[in-house]
Amino acid sequence: MRKHLMAANWKMNKTTSEAVAFINELLPLLEGVKDTEIVICPPFTLLSEMKRTLKGHDDIELGAQNFFWAEKGAYTGEISAAMLKDVGCSHVIVGHSERRHIFGEKDDDIHKKIDAALAAGLIPILCAGETLEEREAGKAFNVVEKQLENALQGLTFKNRGLVIAYEPVWAIGTGINAKAADAQEMLSFIRQWIRKKYGDQSADTIPILYGGSVKPANIDEFMAEEDIDGALIGGASLHAGDFARIVRSGNDGK
Ligand code: PGA
């Protein structure tokens, strides 16, 4: 059985006091949740304080939203995988469409980041997804396959040492989520792709998430689908009540 996973991507939101207030509001709302893995990915500036605030709540893990693949050196403004480990991160988002489209990250950068994250013992949450233009042109499956192929080629990972998030670009932050059946179709395609390339064990253990305008009102539909193991949540993860409701939707494993 694959444990469900709900990951919050706060993007560039929240100050320290807002983050602490969020956690204090969230913890009582999650009482009784035990079968869902929870990862919160705040901005870098909040990681240390979040680690302190979450002391004694090992069931909530910390992730970063980005990092640079080099070990150390003259890279002004960058942060390494070892630094993320040092501050208490277990996960890191890699290849988010905002990194690809706003900051110009290419498949080659993403490959280097996955390699460096795995080497440092971080679990990458690898994002892939097509634009609206690509979907309308019937290229969605090819695009996602190519992104995964380029990101992972030549790399090996342990069971649950990798998370894949399918995030159609047109659904991110737009309020227009993919239909659950369309997301299921893509996630089933991704799972088959993993099975073909990495074998049954990987296919049966790697969590595959859907992301893009997930909210309390639509999460149950997604979680009812066979291959959807959880979600990567942006906007709705900024509100403790909404995030807790989403986490609860996944609280029974698959
Ligand atoms: P959204 O963002 O839930 O606000 O659409 C999802 C994401 O970017 O991971």
Side-chain angles (χ1 to χ4, degrees):
M1 187 169 97
R2 285 186 303 278
K3 202 173 175 183
H4 286 154
L5 195 166
M6 295 295 180
N9 175 10
W10 282 1
K11 310 190 179 182
M12 199 170 75
N13 289 290
K14 293 197 193 291
T15 59
T16 308
S17 60
E18 288 167 347
V20 171
F22 174 97
I23 295 299
N24 290 336
E25 192 185 341
L26 181 71
L27 291 175
L29 299 176
L30 293 183
E31 238 159 73
V33 171
K34 48 179 172 17
D35 292 329
T36 299
E37 195 175 347
I38 302 165
V39 181
I40 300 181
C41 305
F44 293 132
T45 49
L46 300 179
L47 287 168
S48 288
E49 186 57 38
M50 291 277 284
K51 192 71 196 167
R52 256 193 300 279
T53 310
L54 288 169
K55 203 168 181 310
H57 297 277
D58 297 340
D59 44 334
I60 301 181
E61 299 167 286
L62 267 189
Q65 299 171 19
N66 183 34
F67 75 108
F68 186 56
W69 46 264
E71 256 175 55
K72 58 163 93 165
Y75 302 102
T76 301
E78 294 297 336
I79 284 178
S80 73
M83 290 171 186
L84 296 181
K85 280 290 278 187
D86 180 52
V87 84
C89 288
S90 53
H91 291 69
V92 62
I93 299 172
V94 178
H96 190 279
S97 79
E98 285 152 18
R99 300 291 325 164
R100 293 180 195 258
H101 297 286
I102 304 174
F103 299 100
E105 278 188 21
K106 298 277 176 279
D107 281 359
D108 184 46
D109 303 303
I110 291 158
H111 176 77
K112 286 184 181 137
K113 289 185 180 192
I114 297 280
D115 192 7
L118 292 170
L122 286 168
I123 300 173
I125 302 175
L126 169 60
C127 302
E130 81 286 356
T131 61
L132 187 57
E133 214 180 12
E134 289 163 341
R135 175 152 284 263
E136 284 173 347
K139 294 187 190 151
F141 293 91
N142 282 350
V143 167
V144 168
E145 181 173 17
K146 194 114 208 72
Q147 287 174 349
L148 296 178
E149 184 93 50
N150 290 342
L152 296 174
Q153 59 181 322
L155 303 180
T156 51
F157 37 84
K158 298 196 199 96
N159 292 335
R160 283 190 89 82
L162 173 75
V163 176
I164 294 176
Y166 166 59
E167 297 209 306
V169 177
W170 46 272
I172 297 176
T174 57
I176 304 167
N177 55 277
K179 289 199 190 84
D182 290 341
Q184 161 60 26
E185 195 183 10
M186 181 61 86
L187 266 62
S188 157
F189 170 80
I190 293 172
R191 200 175 302 286
Q192 281 167 39
W193 181 83
I194 298 170
R195 198 174 299 285
K196 206 167 58 201
K197 303 218 49 131
Y198 299 96
D200 287 341
Q201 234 196 358
S202 294
D204 294 336
T205 51
I206 289 177
I208 312 180
L209 315 180
Y210 166 75
S213 297
V214 168
K215 42 190 177 264
N218 60 27
I219 185 64
D220 293 342
E221 280 169 50
F222 288 113
M223 294 313 291
E225 297 289 347
E226 190 183 336
D227 285 291
I228 302 184
D229 298 324
L232 180 56
I233 309 115
S237 76
L238 295 171
H239 309 282
D242 286 353
F243 185 56
R245 165 69 185 82
I246 290 168
V247 169
R248 284 191 174 277
S249 176
N251 195 29
D252 54 0
K254 254 191 194 112

